[in-house]
Amino acid sequence: MDIPRIFNITESAHRIHNPITPEKLATLGAALRLEPGARVLDLGSGSGEMLCTWARDHGVTGTGVDLSVLFTEQAISRAAELGVTDQVSFIHGDAAGYVAADKVAVAACIGATWIGGGVAGTIALLARSLRPGGVILIGEPYWRQLPPTEDVAQGCLAGAISDFLLLPELLASFRRLGYDVVEMVLADQDGWDRYEAAKWLTMRRWLEANPEDELAREVRARLSLEPERYAAYTREYVGWGVFALMAR
Ligand code: SAH
C-alpha cells in the first residue's frame, strides 16, 4: 500500500509537501496558541514536519497517518532528529475513515482533502476525532484569480475551474458548513516556488542516478516542461492556505 511512485520520486527531498514554508508553518503554530500537551491528529501527515516542529516548539503530542511508506519513514526520522519521539507517532496507512481513539484538540488535513472525499467530507471525518471546542485545520488550494478558460484551469493541473473556489467563496463554504474561520495562514508565490521548484533539482538528480528506470521518460518529460507550465499557470492562478475552523 503506497502512493503512486512518481510522488515518492519528485518529493523525496521535501520536508513540507505543500507551498507553505517552514516560517509560515511556525507562524501557524504560534497563531493557534497551542497548549503544551495538546493532542494533534494529522491525516496525510507527509514527512511529519508540522507535528515534529510543533512538538518541539509548543510541547504538543500527536499522531500522523500517511499512505506513503517513504514519507512516513522520513517523518519518523525527523521526530528522532528533533528529539520528539516521545511526543509524536507516525502510522503508515490509509487515513480514509481514520478516527482517533482519544479525542484531540487539533485535527488537521493539510493538502490532502481527497482523503475524506473533499473538503466537506474531510471536515466531517476530522470532527469525529475532535474534542468539544477543538480546532480543525484544512489546507486547501483556491483561485488567486479565476482562470479565464477551462484550458487554463487544466494548465494549473485542476480538472476544471469548478474544482477550486475564490478565497472569499472558500471562506463562505466553511461558514455554510457551520464553522467559524478563526485563523488562516496563506501561502505566497515564494512558498509555491519552494514546493514546486524544489522538485526540479530532485528530478534532475534522480534522472542522473536512475537513467534506466521505467519512470525515467516520464520524469524527463516533467523536468523539461514543468518550469514553464508552473510559471504560466500554477504560480499565477493558484492560491493555497491553511484555515483554522471551530464549530459554531
Ligand atoms: N500534510 C503534509 C503532506 C501533504 S501532501 C504536508 O503538508 O507536508 C499529501 C499527502 O497525503 C502525501 O504525504 C500522501 O502520501 C498522503 N496521502 C495521499 N492519500 C492518502 C490516504 N488515502 N491516506 C493517508 N495519506 C494519504
Side-chain angles (χ1 to χ4, degrees), residues 113-171:
T113 51
W114 57 85
I115 285 173
V119 171
T122 298
I123 289 174
L125 172 61
L126 293 170
R128 293 168 61 195
S129 295
L130 202 65
R131 70 160 168 72
V135 172
I136 287 178
L137 298 180
I138 294 287
E140 189 67 8
Y142 58 87
W143 293 122
R144 283 182 74 218
Q145 44 171 329
L146 208 59
T149 64
E150 292 291 344
D151 281 351
V152 171
Q154 278 161 26
C156 297
L157 307 183
I161 296 173
S162 60
D163 279 9
F164 305 140
L165 300 171
L166 289 163
L167 180 59
E169 294 171 353
L170 181 58
L171 297 171

Short mmCIF file of all heavy atoms in Angstrom, two decimals, residues 113-171:
data_model
loop_
_atom_site.label_atom_id
_atom_site.label_comp_id
_atom_site.label_asym_id
_atom_site.label_seq_id
_atom_site.Cartn_x
_atom_site.Cartn_y
_atom_site.Cartn_z
N THR A 113 -7.26 16.72 1.10
CA THR A 113 -8.68 16.59 1.46
C THR A 113 -9.43 15.56 0.60
O THR A 113 -10.61 15.30 0.87
CB THR A 113 -9.42 17.94 1.38
OG1 THR A 113 -9.16 18.55 0.12
CG2 THR A 113 -8.99 18.87 2.50
N TRP A 114 -8.76 14.97 -0.38
CA TRP A 114 -9.37 13.84 -1.08
C TRP A 114 -9.56 12.67 -0.11
O TRP A 114 -10.37 11.79 -0.36
CB TRP A 114 -8.53 13.42 -2.30
CG TRP A 114 -7.12 13.07 -1.95
CD1 TRP A 114 -6.67 11.85 -1.52
CD2 TRP A 114 -5.98 13.93 -1.98
NE1 TRP A 114 -5.32 11.90 -1.26
CE2 TRP A 114 -4.87 13.16 -1.54
CE3 TRP A 114 -5.79 15.27 -2.33
CZ2 TRP A 114 -3.59 13.70 -1.44
CZ3 TRP A 114 -4.50 15.79 -2.23
CH2 TRP A 114 -3.43 15.03 -1.80
N ILE A 115 -8.79 12.68 0.99
CA ILE A 115 -8.88 11.58 1.98
C ILE A 115 -10.32 11.42 2.46
O ILE A 115 -10.79 10.30 2.65
CB ILE A 115 -7.89 11.84 3.14
CG1 ILE A 115 -6.46 11.55 2.68
CG2 ILE A 115 -8.26 11.00 4.38
CD1 ILE A 115 -5.38 11.93 3.67
N GLY A 116 -11.02 12.53 2.64
CA GLY A 116 -12.41 12.46 3.08
C GLY A 116 -13.39 12.71 1.94
O GLY A 116 -14.55 13.04 2.18
N GLY A 117 -12.92 12.61 0.69
CA GLY A 117 -13.79 12.82 -0.46
C GLY A 117 -14.09 14.29 -0.73
O GLY A 117 -15.14 14.62 -1.27
N GLY A 118 -13.19 15.18 -0.29
CA GLY A 118 -13.38 16.62 -0.50
C GLY A 118 -13.37 17.35 0.83
O GLY A 118 -13.21 16.74 1.90
N VAL A 119 -13.50 18.68 0.76
CA VAL A 119 -13.39 19.49 1.97
C VAL A 119 -14.48 19.14 2.99
O VAL A 119 -14.19 18.89 4.16
CB VAL A 119 -13.43 21.00 1.62
CG1 VAL A 119 -13.54 21.84 2.89
CG2 VAL A 119 -12.19 21.40 0.84
N ALA A 120 -15.71 19.09 2.55
CA ALA A 120 -16.82 18.84 3.49
C ALA A 120 -16.69 17.48 4.15
O ALA A 120 -16.84 17.34 5.37
CB ALA A 120 -18.16 18.96 2.77
N GLY A 121 -16.38 16.47 3.34
CA GLY A 121 -16.24 15.11 3.88
C GLY A 121 -15.06 15.01 4.84
O GLY A 121 -15.12 14.29 5.85
N THR A 122 -13.98 15.74 4.53
CA THR A 122 -12.79 15.69 5.39
C THR A 122 -13.06 16.40 6.72
O THR A 122 -12.64 15.93 7.78
CB THR A 122 -11.57 16.30 4.66
OG1 THR A 122 -11.32 15.51 3.50
CG2 THR A 122 -10.34 16.31 5.55
N ILE A 123 -13.78 17.52 6.66
CA ILE A 123 -14.15 18.21 7.90
C ILE A 123 -15.01 17.27 8.77
O ILE A 123 -14.78 17.14 9.98
CB ILE A 123 -14.88 19.53 7.59
CG1 ILE A 123 -13.88 20.54 7.02
CG2 ILE A 123 -15.55 20.09 8.85
CD1 ILE A 123 -14.51 21.84 6.55
N ALA A 124 -15.95 16.59 8.14
CA ALA A 124 -16.82 15.66 8.89
C ALA A 124 -15.99 14.53 9.50
O ALA A 124 -16.22 14.12 10.66
CB ALA A 124 -17.91 15.10 7.97
N LEU A 125 -15.02 14.03 8.74
CA LEU A 125 -14.15 12.95 9.26
C LEU A 125 -13.32 13.46 10.45
O LEU A 125 -13.27 12.81 11.50
CB LEU A 125 -13.23 12.45 8.14
CG LEU A 125 -12.13 11.47 8.55
CD1 LEU A 125 -12.71 10.19 9.14
CD2 LEU A 125 -11.23 11.14 7.35
N LEU A 126 -12.68 14.62 10.29
CA LEU A 126 -11.84 15.17 11.36
C LEU A 126 -12.68 15.45 12.61
O LEU A 126 -12.21 15.26 13.74
CB LEU A 126 -11.14 16.45 10.89
CG LEU A 126 -10.08 16.27 9.78
CD1 LEU A 126 -9.64 17.62 9.24
CD2 LEU A 126 -8.88 15.47 10.29
N ALA A 127 -13.92 15.91 12.40
CA ALA A 127 -14.78 16.26 13.54
C ALA A 127 -15.04 15.05 14.45
O ALA A 127 -15.25 15.22 15.66
CB ALA A 127 -16.11 16.82 13.01
N ARG A 128 -14.96 13.86 13.87
CA ARG A 128 -15.20 12.65 14.69
C ARG A 128 -14.07 12.40 15.68
O ARG A 128 -14.24 11.66 16.65
CB ARG A 128 -15.39 11.44 13.78
CG ARG A 128 -16.67 11.54 12.94
CD ARG A 128 -16.72 10.50 11.84
NE ARG A 128 -16.70 9.13 12.36
CZ ARG A 128 -16.44 8.06 11.63
NH1 ARG A 128 -16.17 8.17 10.35
NH2 ARG A 128 -16.45 6.87 12.19
N SER A 129 -12.90 13.01 15.45
CA SER A 129 -11.76 12.84 16.37
C SER A 129 -11.60 14.01 17.33
O SER A 129 -10.71 13.99 18.18
CB SER A 129 -10.46 12.71 15.57
OG SER A 129 -10.46 11.53 14.79
N LEU A 130 -12.44 15.04 17.17
CA LEU A 130 -12.19 16.32 17.84
C LEU A 130 -12.92 16.42 19.18
O LEU A 130 -14.08 16.05 19.27
CB LEU A 130 -12.68 17.44 16.91
CG LEU A 130 -12.09 18.83 17.13
CD1 LEU A 130 -10.60 18.82 16.84
CD2 LEU A 130 -12.81 19.83 16.23
N ARG A 131 -12.22 16.93 20.18
CA ARG A 131 -12.90 17.19 21.45
C ARG A 131 -13.76 18.45 21.31
O ARG A 131 -13.50 19.28 20.42
CB ARG A 131 -11.89 17.34 22.59
CG ARG A 131 -11.05 18.60 22.54
CD ARG A 131 -10.46 18.86 23.93
NE ARG A 131 -9.43 19.88 23.94
CZ ARG A 131 -9.62 21.19 23.78
NH1 ARG A 131 -10.81 21.67 23.49
NH2 ARG A 131 -8.60 22.02 23.86
N PRO A 132 -14.78 18.62 22.17
CA PRO A 132 -15.59 19.84 22.08
C PRO A 132 -14.70 21.07 22.18
O PRO A 132 -13.79 21.11 23.01
CB PRO A 132 -16.53 19.72 23.28
CG PRO A 132 -16.60 18.26 23.58
CD PRO A 132 -15.24 17.71 23.24
N GLY A 133 -14.95 22.05 21.35
CA GLY A 133 -14.14 23.27 21.37
C GLY A 133 -12.82 23.15 20.64
O GLY A 133 -12.02 24.09 20.65
N GLY A 134 -12.57 22.01 20.01
CA GLY A 134 -11.31 21.80 19.30
C GLY A 134 -11.29 22.52 17.95
O GLY A 134 -12.30 23.07 17.50
N VAL A 135 -10.10 22.52 17.35
CA VAL A 135 -9.87 23.25 16.10
C VAL A 135 -9.58 22.27 14.97
O VAL A 135 -8.78 21.34 15.13
CB VAL A 135 -8.67 24.22 16.27
CG1 VAL A 135 -8.28 24.84 14.93
CG2 VAL A 135 -9.00 25.30 17.29
N ILE A 136 -10.23 22.50 13.84
CA ILE A 136 -9.95 21.72 12.63
C ILE A 136 -9.07 22.57 11.72
O ILE A 136 -9.33 23.77 11.54
CB ILE A 136 -11.27 21.34 11.92
CG1 ILE A 136 -11.98 20.24 12.73
CG2 ILE A 136 -11.02 20.89 10.48
CD1 ILE A 136 -13.32 19.82 12.16
N LEU A 137 -8.02 21.97 11.18
CA LEU A 137 -7.15 22.66 10.22
C LEU A 137 -7.32 22.02 8.85
O LEU A 137 -7.17 20.80 8.72
CB LEU A 137 -5.68 22.55 10.63
CG LEU A 137 -5.27 23.18 11.95
CD1 LEU A 137 -3.77 22.94 12.17
CD2 LEU A 137 -5.59 24.67 11.95
N ILE A 138 -7.61 22.86 7.86
CA ILE A 138 -7.74 22.38 6.48
C ILE A 138 -6.76 23.16 5.62
O ILE A 138 -6.78 24.40 5.59
CB ILE A 138 -9.18 22.60 5.96
CG1 ILE A 138 -10.19 21.73 6.72
CG2 ILE A 138 -9.27 22.34 4.46
CD1 ILE A 138 -10.14 20.25 6.37
N GLY A 139 -5.88 22.45 4.92
CA GLY A 139 -5.00 23.07 3.93
C GLY A 139 -5.58 22.82 2.56
O GLY A 139 -5.82 21.66 2.19
N GLU A 140 -5.80 23.89 1.80
CA GLU A 140 -6.58 23.72 0.57
C GLU A 140 -6.21 24.78 -0.47
O GLU A 140 -5.94 25.94 -0.11
CB GLU A 140 -8.07 23.84 0.94
CG GLU A 140 -9.07 23.50 -0.14
CD GLU A 140 -9.08 22.03 -0.54
OE1 GLU A 140 -8.42 21.19 0.12
OE2 GLU A 140 -9.75 21.72 -1.53
N PRO A 141 -6.20 24.43 -1.76
CA PRO A 141 -5.99 25.44 -2.80
C PRO A 141 -7.24 26.28 -3.03
O PRO A 141 -8.35 25.87 -2.68
CB PRO A 141 -5.71 24.61 -4.07
CG PRO A 141 -5.67 23.19 -3.64
CD PRO A 141 -6.36 23.09 -2.33
N TYR A 142 -7.05 27.44 -3.61
CA TYR A 142 -8.15 28.28 -4.09
C TYR A 142 -7.62 29.06 -5.30
O TYR A 142 -6.41 29.06 -5.57
CB TYR A 142 -8.67 29.21 -2.98
CG TYR A 142 -7.62 30.13 -2.39
CD1 TYR A 142 -7.35 31.37 -2.97
CD2 TYR A 142 -6.85 29.75 -1.29
CE1 TYR A 142 -6.38 32.20 -2.45
CE2 TYR A 142 -5.87 30.57 -0.77
CZ TYR A 142 -5.64 31.79 -1.35
OH TYR A 142 -4.66 32.61 -0.85
N TRP A 143 -8.51 29.71 -6.01
CA TRP A 143 -8.04 30.52 -7.16
C TRP A 143 -7.60 31.89 -6.68
O TRP A 143 -8.38 32.62 -6.09
CB TRP A 143 -9.15 30.70 -8.20
CG TRP A 143 -9.57 29.44 -8.91
CD1 TRP A 143 -10.83 28.90 -8.95
CD2 TRP A 143 -8.75 28.58 -9.71
NE1 TRP A 143 -10.83 27.75 -9.71
CE2 TRP A 143 -9.56 27.53 -10.19
CE3 TRP A 143 -7.39 28.57 -10.06
CZ2 TRP A 143 -9.08 26.50 -11.00
CZ3 TRP A 143 -6.91 27.54 -10.86
CH2 TRP A 143 -7.75 26.53 -11.32
N ARG A 144 -6.36 32.26 -6.94
CA ARG A 144 -5.89 33.64 -6.71
C ARG A 144 -6.61 34.57 -7.65
O ARG A 144 -6.97 35.69 -7.33
CB ARG A 144 -4.39 33.76 -7.04
CG ARG A 144 -3.45 33.22 -6.02
CD ARG A 144 -2.01 33.46 -6.50
NE ARG A 144 -1.66 34.87 -6.37
CZ ARG A 144 -0.91 35.53 -7.24
NH1 ARG A 144 -0.44 34.95 -8.32
NH2 ARG A 144 -0.63 36.79 -7.03
N GLN A 145 -6.74 34.12 -8.89
CA GLN A 145 -7.56 34.81 -9.89
C GLN A 145 -8.24 33.71 -10.69
O GLN A 145 -7.68 32.64 -10.90
CB GLN A 145 -6.71 35.72 -10.77
CG GLN A 145 -5.41 35.12 -11.25
CD GLN A 145 -4.72 35.98 -12.29
OE1 GLN A 145 -5.35 36.68 -13.07
NE2 GLN A 145 -3.39 35.92 -12.31
N LEU A 146 -9.47 33.98 -11.09
CA LEU A 146 -10.25 32.96 -11.78
C LEU A 146 -9.64 32.69 -13.16
O LEU A 146 -9.39 33.63 -13.92
CB LEU A 146 -11.68 33.46 -11.92
CG LEU A 146 -12.76 32.38 -11.99
CD1 LEU A 146 -12.75 31.50 -10.75
CD2 LEU A 146 -14.12 33.05 -12.18
N PRO A 147 -9.38 31.42 -13.50
CA PRO A 147 -8.86 31.13 -14.85
C PRO A 147 -9.88 31.58 -15.90
O PRO A 147 -11.07 31.34 -15.73
CB PRO A 147 -8.72 29.61 -14.87
CG PRO A 147 -8.73 29.19 -13.45
CD PRO A 147 -9.54 30.20 -12.70
N PRO A 148 -9.43 32.23 -16.97
CA PRO A 148 -10.37 32.71 -17.99
C PRO A 148 -11.00 31.57 -18.78
O PRO A 148 -12.09 31.74 -19.33
CB PRO A 148 -9.50 33.60 -18.88
CG PRO A 148 -8.09 33.19 -18.62
CD PRO A 148 -8.04 32.65 -17.22
N THR A 149 -10.32 30.44 -18.87
CA THR A 149 -10.84 29.31 -19.65
C THR A 149 -10.57 28.00 -18.90
O THR A 149 -9.70 27.95 -18.01
CB THR A 149 -10.14 29.19 -21.02
OG1 THR A 149 -8.74 28.90 -20.79
CG2 THR A 149 -10.25 30.49 -21.82
N GLU A 150 -11.27 26.94 -19.33
CA GLU A 150 -11.03 25.62 -18.75
C GLU A 150 -9.61 25.14 -19.09
O GLU A 150 -8.99 24.42 -18.30
CB GLU A 150 -12.07 24.61 -19.25
CG GLU A 150 -13.48 24.86 -18.73
CD GLU A 150 -13.65 24.60 -17.23
OE1 GLU A 150 -12.77 23.94 -16.62
OE2 GLU A 150 -14.65 25.07 -16.66
N ASP A 151 -9.09 25.53 -20.24
CA ASP A 151 -7.71 25.15 -20.60
C ASP A 151 -6.71 25.69 -19.59
O ASP A 151 -5.74 25.01 -19.23
CB ASP A 151 -7.34 25.69 -21.99
CG ASP A 151 -7.94 24.84 -23.10
OD1 ASP A 151 -8.48 23.76 -22.78
OD2 ASP A 151 -7.86 25.26 -24.27
N VAL A 152 -6.94 26.91 -19.15
CA VAL A 152 -6.04 27.50 -18.14
C VAL A 152 -6.15 26.72 -16.83
O VAL A 152 -5.15 26.43 -16.18
CB VAL A 152 -6.33 29.00 -17.96
CG1 VAL A 152 -5.55 29.56 -16.77
CG2 VAL A 152 -5.96 29.77 -19.23
N ALA A 153 -7.38 26.35 -16.45
CA ALA A 153 -7.55 25.55 -15.22
C ALA A 153 -6.79 24.24 -15.33
O ALA A 153 -6.12 23.80 -14.39
CB ALA A 153 -9.04 25.28 -14.97
N GLN A 154 -6.85 23.62 -16.50
CA GLN A 154 -6.13 22.35 -16.67
C GLN A 154 -4.61 22.57 -16.68
O GLN A 154 -3.87 21.71 -16.22
CB GLN A 154 -6.61 21.64 -17.93
CG GLN A 154 -7.91 20.87 -17.61
CD GLN A 154 -8.74 20.50 -18.82
OE1 GLN A 154 -8.21 20.36 -19.92
NE2 GLN A 154 -10.04 20.36 -18.60
N GLY A 155 -4.18 23.74 -17.18
CA GLY A 155 -2.77 24.09 -17.09
C GLY A 155 -2.31 24.17 -15.63
O GLY A 155 -1.15 23.91 -15.31
N CYS A 156 -3.24 24.50 -14.76
CA CYS A 156 -2.96 24.54 -13.31
C CYS A 156 -3.06 23.15 -12.68
O CYS A 156 -2.98 23.01 -11.46
CB CYS A 156 -3.96 25.46 -12.61
SG CYS A 156 -3.86 27.17 -13.14
N LEU A 157 -3.29 22.14 -13.51
CA LEU A 157 -3.48 20.75 -13.08
C LEU A 157 -4.77 20.56 -12.28
O LEU A 157 -4.92 19.58 -11.55
CB LEU A 157 -2.27 20.22 -12.30
CG LEU A 157 -0.90 20.37 -13.00
CD1 LEU A 157 0.21 19.75 -12.15
CD2 LEU A 157 -0.92 19.74 -14.39
N ALA A 158 -5.70 21.50 -12.42
CA ALA A 158 -7.05 21.30 -11.89
C ALA A 158 -7.86 20.58 -12.96
O ALA A 158 -7.58 20.73 -14.15
CB ALA A 158 -7.70 22.63 -11.56
N GLY A 159 -8.84 19.78 -12.56
CA GLY A 159 -9.68 19.10 -13.53
C GLY A 159 -10.58 20.09 -14.25
O GLY A 159 -10.87 19.95 -15.44
N ALA A 160 -11.01 21.14 -13.53
CA ALA A 160 -11.94 22.12 -14.08
C ALA A 160 -11.89 23.37 -13.21
O ALA A 160 -11.42 23.32 -12.07
CB ALA A 160 -13.36 21.56 -14.08
N ILE A 161 -12.40 24.48 -13.74
CA ILE A 161 -12.47 25.72 -12.96
C ILE A 161 -13.25 25.46 -11.67
O ILE A 161 -12.91 25.95 -10.59
CB ILE A 161 -13.15 26.85 -13.78
CG1 ILE A 161 -12.29 27.20 -15.00
CG2 ILE A 161 -13.35 28.11 -12.92
CD1 ILE A 161 -12.96 28.20 -15.96
N SER A 162 -14.27 24.62 -11.77
CA SER A 162 -15.14 24.36 -10.61
C SER A 162 -14.45 23.55 -9.51
O SER A 162 -15.01 23.39 -8.42
CB SER A 162 -16.41 23.64 -11.08
OG SER A 162 -16.05 22.41 -11.68
N ASP A 163 -13.24 23.06 -9.75
CA ASP A 163 -12.53 22.29 -8.70
C ASP A 163 -12.16 23.16 -7.50
O ASP A 163 -12.07 22.67 -6.38
CB ASP A 163 -11.24 21.67 -9.25
CG ASP A 163 -11.50 20.40 -10.03
OD1 ASP A 163 -12.68 20.09 -10.27
OD2 ASP A 163 -10.52 19.72 -10.38
N PHE A 164 -11.88 24.44 -7.74
CA PHE A 164 -11.47 25.35 -6.66
C PHE A 164 -12.40 26.55 -6.62
O PHE A 164 -13.09 26.85 -7.60
CB PHE A 164 -10.03 25.84 -6.85
CG PHE A 164 -8.99 24.76 -6.99
CD1 PHE A 164 -7.96 24.89 -7.92
CD2 PHE A 164 -9.04 23.61 -6.22
CE1 PHE A 164 -7.00 23.90 -8.07
CE2 PHE A 164 -8.08 22.61 -6.36
CZ PHE A 164 -7.06 22.76 -7.29
N LEU A 165 -12.37 27.27 -5.49
CA LEU A 165 -13.17 28.48 -5.31
C LEU A 165 -12.22 29.67 -5.20
O LEU A 165 -11.02 29.50 -5.00
CB LEU A 165 -13.98 28.36 -4.01
CG LEU A 165 -14.97 27.18 -3.95
CD1 LEU A 165 -15.54 27.05 -2.54
CD2 LEU A 165 -16.09 27.37 -4.96
N LEU A 166 -12.76 30.87 -5.33
CA LEU A 166 -12.00 32.06 -4.95
C LEU A 166 -11.95 32.11 -3.43
O LEU A 166 -12.82 31.53 -2.74
CB LEU A 166 -12.67 33.32 -5.51
CG LEU A 166 -12.55 33.49 -7.03
CD1 LEU A 166 -13.58 34.50 -7.54
CD2 LEU A 166 -11.14 33.93 -7.42
N LEU A 167 -10.96 32.81 -2.87
CA LEU A 167 -10.78 32.80 -1.41
C LEU A 167 -12.04 33.19 -0.64
O LEU A 167 -12.42 32.48 0.31
CB LEU A 167 -9.58 33.68 -1.04
CG LEU A 167 -9.27 33.77 0.46
CD1 LEU A 167 -8.99 32.40 1.07
CD2 LEU A 167 -8.07 34.71 0.68
N PRO A 168 -12.73 34.29 -1.00
CA PRO A 168 -13.94 34.63 -0.23
C PRO A 168 -15.00 33.52 -0.29
O PRO A 168 -15.70 33.27 0.70
CB PRO A 168 -14.45 35.90 -0.90
CG PRO A 168 -13.26 36.47 -1.61
CD PRO A 168 -12.43 35.30 -2.03
N GLU A 169 -15.07 32.86 -1.45
CA GLU A 169 -16.06 31.77 -1.59
C GLU A 169 -15.67 30.56 -0.74
O GLU A 169 -16.52 29.88 -0.17
CB GLU A 169 -16.16 31.34 -3.06
CG GLU A 169 -16.73 32.40 -3.97
CD GLU A 169 -16.60 31.99 -5.45
OE1 GLU A 169 -15.95 30.97 -5.75
OE2 GLU A 169 -17.15 32.73 -6.28
N LEU A 170 -14.35 30.29 -0.68
CA LEU A 170 -13.89 29.17 0.13
C LEU A 170 -14.21 29.43 1.61
O LEU A 170 -14.72 28.55 2.32
CB LEU A 170 -12.38 28.96 -0.07
CG LEU A 170 -11.74 27.81 0.71
CD1 LEU A 170 -12.39 26.47 0.37
CD2 LEU A 170 -10.23 27.74 0.43
N LEU A 171 -13.97 30.67 2.05
CA LEU A 171 -14.29 31.03 3.44
C LEU A 171 -15.80 30.93 3.69
O LEU A 171 -16.23 30.44 4.74
CB LEU A 171 -13.78 32.44 3.73
CG LEU A 171 -12.25 32.59 3.64
CD1 LEU A 171 -11.86 34.05 3.72
CD2 LEU A 171 -11.53 31.79 4.71
#
